[in-house]
Amino acid sequence: MNEEKEVGVVPSPSADYGNGDLKGIDSDALKLAEMGYSQDMQRNFSVWSVLGVGFSLTNSWFGISAALITGINSGGPVLIVYGIILIALISTCVGISLSELASALPNAGGQYFWANELAPKQYANFASYLTGWFAWAGSVFTSASVALAVGSAGMGCIQLSHPDLVLEPWMTFVGYQVVNLFAFWFNCYGKTLPRTATITLWTSLLSFFIILVAVPAKAPTHQNAKFVFANFVNATGWSQNGIAFIVGLVNTNWAFACLDCATHMAEEVARPEKMIPIAIMGTVGIGFVTSWFYSVALFFSVGDLDQLLNTLTGVPILELFFQALGSRAGAIVLECLIIATGVGCQIASHTWQARLCWSFARDRGLPGSKFLSKIHPTLDVPLYAHMVSCILVAILGCLYLGSYTAFNSMVTACIVLLYISYTIPVVCLLYKGRNNIPHGPFWMGPIGFFANIVLCLWTAFTFIMYSFPSIMPAEAGNMNYVSAVYGVITAIMLSYWFIRGKATFRRRDERHEVADVALREGSVVH
């Protein structure tokens, strides 16, 4: 059992929180102690900065921009316009499911902690362990996908300004590593993260507004409504348009991924049982409004769709800007707004993956948990967890040099692995009974039950359908290797479970014993 942490002073409330209510901070630390954890990090985040982290990571309009190449090949404007509506509805159900659990059980562990609390006792440890690994792997793959998107955008700008340049994989690889390194550095300073999150939120919204106004206003011609709302493009090789539409949904689904991000900030914000649901549902709402109007406005401004499909920049949205503005410099300026938004997204992704790694490690779910669970005393961040996660992202980037297809399979895996990590605790909740746990302030009753069912069904659907090749006929060079990614992740986590994890992973009753001792001794804050 971990050594007890000594009583410290209750951390002063953050200026970012704003109301100076020490009592609220005390109450939060007490609630955390009842779960078997001490207050290791200061609650520096406000609801705005948590929303900033959550939306900066999901950032749906940026996601549509970055993954546009998949969408326009697998359905064209119809896929994006209607796919956003479909995925937004599903994401609302996902957000409700996560918000209910985050409100009832606010903990930085998020879904793996919920699984541990809700699963039958004999299965609780294994269910929690699987959930933690799926969630952390999904977060690392997400960071890799964002780094690739931003790195590709940067290289696209260089190619547009130098038309004779032929982009090579190593160039994008360099851009990838620069983005990853920059976000690593930014996340080493905990006290600046709340302000950074708020700034990135407003940067994203301002960039969205500028592009939304500038592109349609400057476009020399505009498409008709039929092109935007009824033009289906199938360049995938699939003979069935329905299958092409489904495999293309990866585009819009990626734009609404990572909704659990805010849940892992539960120990860095006051009144998390209220603030985390606001951040999650706010992320879905803002994401839908921005991404849908953004997509519609840009598709009305398209000049030549074939040029978007075959652009030498490798970045269709940059080609669209060039067609609309007729200026390379203007297109690059707008793309730089997307890059700035993407960098904010990468910073948020690193914040998220580090908290996931740290919280899972303090329950001894990972190799090297003794170090990964440490909070740096002056930087106020889980530095080792952050460092290891970023190193893994850097290593994954090397796969891009060997196989673009293999790398893209990991991007798909990030969506499905996260869905699986959401589904496990929800299934445990349904098995236990939704009314057999204490409800938090956010509880939707029958609507929540419906949302739980939708989440479970959608996870099963994506697990199967997102494993299909995106292009036919399938060959070694374009095959979807996401099933292999699932296999590797499963092999790693099961191997560690039987070698060490089964014996060392902290049991639910062990946590509850720690909670009883902490409450008796008053040791709730480190």
Side-chain angles (χ1 to χ4, degrees), residues 173-499:
F173 170 77
V174 171
Y176 172 104
Q177 298 296 357
V178 168
V179 172
N180 185 49
L181 185 62
F182 180 79
F184 165 77
W185 173 81
F186 230 102
N187 269 272
C188 287
Y189 302 94
K191 290 185 170 116
T192 64
L193 286 177
R195 186 175 297 276
T196 300
T198 304
I199 291 173
T200 55
L201 169 63
W202 292 110
T203 298
S204 174
L205 295 178
L206 180 61
S207 299
F208 157 77
F209 180 76
I210 292 173
I211 296 172
L212 185 71
V213 172
V215 174
K218 292 292 293 181
T221 60
H222 294 90
Q223 299 289 345
N224 56 37
K226 182 179 178 180
F227 174 85
V228 176
F229 296 106
N231 182 28
F232 190 90
V233 177
N234 183 359
T236 63
W238 284 99
S239 58
Q240 303 94 337
N241 286 341
I243 298 296
F245 183 89
I246 289 171
V247 298
L249 278 177
V250 172
N251 167 276
T252 48
N253 214 153
W254 188 69
F256 283 86
C258 318
L259 289 178
D260 65 298
C261 175
T263 69
H264 305 291
M265 311 303 293
E267 296 172 32
E268 298 175 71
V269 63
R271 296 182 295 162
E273 67 279 1
K274 294 182 179 179
M275 300 307 170
I276 300 302
I278 291 173
I280 293 173
M281 301 310 296
T283 295
V284 176
I286 297 173
F288 169 68
V289 172
T290 54
S291 61
W292 194 82
F293 283 100
Y294 177 80
S295 300
V296 170
L298 294 192
F299 280 126
F300 269 116
S301 307
V302 169
D304 188 333
L305 187 60
D306 289 336
Q307 286 186 359
L308 259 66
L309 293 168
N310 302 295
T311 175
L312 295 177
T313 66
V315 185
I317 195 69
L318 179 58
E319 174 64 29
L320 192 157
F321 292 160
F322 180 51
Q323 290 181 14
L325 273 63
S327 164
R328 296 182 189 276
I332 290 172
V333 168
L334 293 187
E335 187 66 24
C336 284
L337 294 178
I338 291 181
I339 291 172
T341 301
V343 169
C345 181
Q346 184 72 350
I347 292 171
S349 188
H350 279 211
T351 303
W352 168 53
Q353 70 179 14
R355 270 63 178 175
L356 253 172
C357 180
W358 161 72
S359 60
F360 194 38
R362 66 180 176 179
D363 283 323
R364 305 190 291 273
L366 295 169
S369 290
K370 180 179 179 181
F371 298 99
L372 296 177
S373 61
K374 291 182 181 295
I375 299 295
H376 194 281
T378 57
L379 298 177
D380 195 35
V381 294
L383 187 61
Y384 295 122
H386 175 45
M387 188 180 302
V388 168
S389 298
C390 290
I391 289 173
L392 289 176
V393 173
I395 292 172
L396 290 177
C398 297
L399 292 179
Y400 182 79
L401 294 174
S403 172
Y404 177 76
T405 303
F407 188 92
N408 274 354
S409 296
M410 292 188 301
V411 174
T412 303
C414 85
I415 299 171
V416 180
L417 290 175
L418 289 173
Y419 276 143
I420 293 172
S421 77
Y422 305 160
T423 301
I424 294 174
V426 167
V427 169
C428 294
L429 173 66
L430 294 174
Y431 181 82
K432 186 180 182 72
R434 287 174 49 84
N435 291 322
N436 292 330
I437 68 168
H439 299 167
F442 185 96
W443 192 259
M444 300 293 287
I447 296 175
F449 175 76
F450 175 78
N452 294 163
I453 298 300
V454 170
L455 169 58
C456 294
L457 293 176
W458 184 249
T459 299
F461 178 82
T462 56
F463 182 78
I464 296 170
M465 300 306 298
Y466 286 3
S467 299
F468 283 28
S470 59
I471 298 175
M472 289 294 286
E475 300 173 351
N478 61 21
M479 185 63 186
N480 188 346
Y481 293 99
V482 70
S483 298
V485 176
Y486 299 151
V488 171
I489 295 299
T490 302
I492 291 173
M493 65 185 184
L494 288 181
S495 297
Y496 185 70
W497 172 257
F498 288 110
I499 293 171

Side-chain angles (χ1 to χ4, degrees), residues 98-115:
L98 296 177
S99 294
E100 285 188 329
L101 289 171
S103 184
L105 298 166
N107 186 281
Q111 53 266 51
Y112 95 82
F113 173 79
W114 304 332

Side-chain angles (χ1 to χ4, degrees), residues 148-176:
L148 177 63
V150 179
S152 298
M155 291 303 106
C157 290
I158 294 174
Q159 199 285 329
L160 185 64
S161 61
H162 299 80
D164 295 331
L165 176 67
V166 177
L167 292 179
E168 300 289 344
W170 69 264
M171 300 176 185
T172 303
F173 170 77
V174 171
Y176 172 104

